[in-house]
Amino acid sequence: MLKVMQSATNSATSNSQWEELSQFPTPNSGAWDNIKTQLDLILLALETLTGLGSDSMLSAAINLHLESKLPDRVALWRLRQSNPIRKGQGGRKKLDVDEARSLVLITCYLAKQHQELIRRAIGLLEKIAAKNQEPHQNALLGDYIDAFCNTYQERMEEDETISTDLLTNLAIKLLVDLLFYSAPTGHRRLWLTLLDRSTKQF
């Protein structure tokens, strides 16, 4: 009975959030490459911090009644591969607005589930900054940054302009962003951020 109630609540929440996102402008055709990159990198930050994988993302899609947009691992892989800076061409496809909204809702749902861990990481980041220490001096932050940088280098095309320092800064920036996306209005904030940054470099 409890599971049925939770499913109904998730469905109502998902529908409400979907309708809310539908009220915002649709990105223009030239903005999609940056949006696809941003969504993939946000998910990369979330998975390297929490250790979640494709199964968690697919479970989230089911809980949010978005399985028609993300039915299996192949579909998820193809959506992630739509990021134009990813290695390989095999899975690349156009990401449509409904798929983008689905990934936004799934990302924020998972961020909310792991909000306690995200808050703890941000708290440690603030303490370290106050002491003028490096993030790698903390085990949790060091493991996250290393995992993010290593996974980024494994999955993305080589770019000589991206140094370890730049990747570290990107990892930290995305960690802070995740805290906002874990809030009740995180889906709205993430969508507006995507629209705002769609014509900029991430």
Side-chain angles (χ1 to χ4, degrees):
M1 182 66 178
L2 180 59
K3 288 185 177 180
V4 172
M5 293 176 63
Q6 288 176 334
S7 177
T9 299
N10 287 336
S11 178
T13 300
S14 177
N15 289 338
S16 173
Q17 291 177 345
W18 184 278
E19 288 301 319
E20 188 175 0
L21 294 185
S22 300
Q23 303 304 312
F24 292 108
T26 300
N28 63 57
S29 58
W32 279 107
D33 277 357
N34 274 346
I35 288 175
K36 290 183 287 189
T37 299
Q38 291 171 54
L39 278 171
D40 190 34
L41 291 180
I42 291 162
L43 279 171
L44 176 61
L46 186 58
E47 64 183 318
T48 50
L49 176 67
T50 64
L52 64 82
S54 57
D55 286 344
S56 297
M57 296 178 195
L58 293 174
S59 293
I62 292 171
N63 291 337
L64 294 171
H65 298 272
L66 297 171
E67 59 267 41
S68 64
K69 304 292 189 302
L70 205 68
D72 51 41
R73 290 186 182 185
V74 174
L76 175 61
W77 177 76
R78 288 176 65 84
L79 289 185
R80 299 288 298 273
Q81 282 293 120
S82 69
N83 173 4
I85 68 170
R86 275 220 179 203
K87 292 179 179 177
Q89 303 290 326
R92 191 160 299 167
K93 68 182 287 293
K94 180 182 178 183
L95 182 74
D96 66 35
V97 67
D98 284 350
E99 290 167 337
R101 289 182 183 130
S102 298
L103 286 179
V104 165
L105 294 182
I106 289 167
T107 299
C108 294
Y109 176 85
L110 291 170
K112 185 177 181 180
Q113 283 193 326
H114 294 86
Q115 189 181 63
E116 183 178 346
L117 175 59
I118 295 169
R119 285 188 178 278
R120 181 152 59 94
I122 294 294
L124 291 168
L125 190 62
E126 291 173 343
K127 288 180 181 179
I128 283 177
K131 296 178 181 178
N132 291 318
Q133 296 177 338
E134 294 296 323
H136 276 97
Q137 292 180 257
N138 175 269
L140 174 61
L141 294 175
D143 288 346
Y144 160 63
I145 291 170
D146 286 344
F148 180 89
C149 292
N150 291 337
T151 308
Y152 182 100
Q153 290 169 335
E154 288 171 4
R155 295 182 184 177
M156 309 303 167
E157 296 285 356
E158 291 185 14
D159 184 344
E160 294 179 356
T161 65
I162 297 183
S163 64
T164 301
D165 286 344
L166 283 174
L167 283 180
T168 297
N169 290 336
L170 176 58
I172 292 172
K173 177 186 177 302
L174 290 171
L175 174 60
V176 174
D177 287 347
L178 283 174
L179 180 61
F180 293 109
Y181 303 151
S182 69
T185 58
H187 62 288
R188 185 193 317 159
R189 184 184 289 266
L190 176 50
W191 188 255
L192 290 175
T193 298
L194 292 173
L195 294 177
D196 181 58
R197 295 179 182 166
S198 62
T199 57
K200 307 172 186 176
Q201 293 297 317
F202 197 83

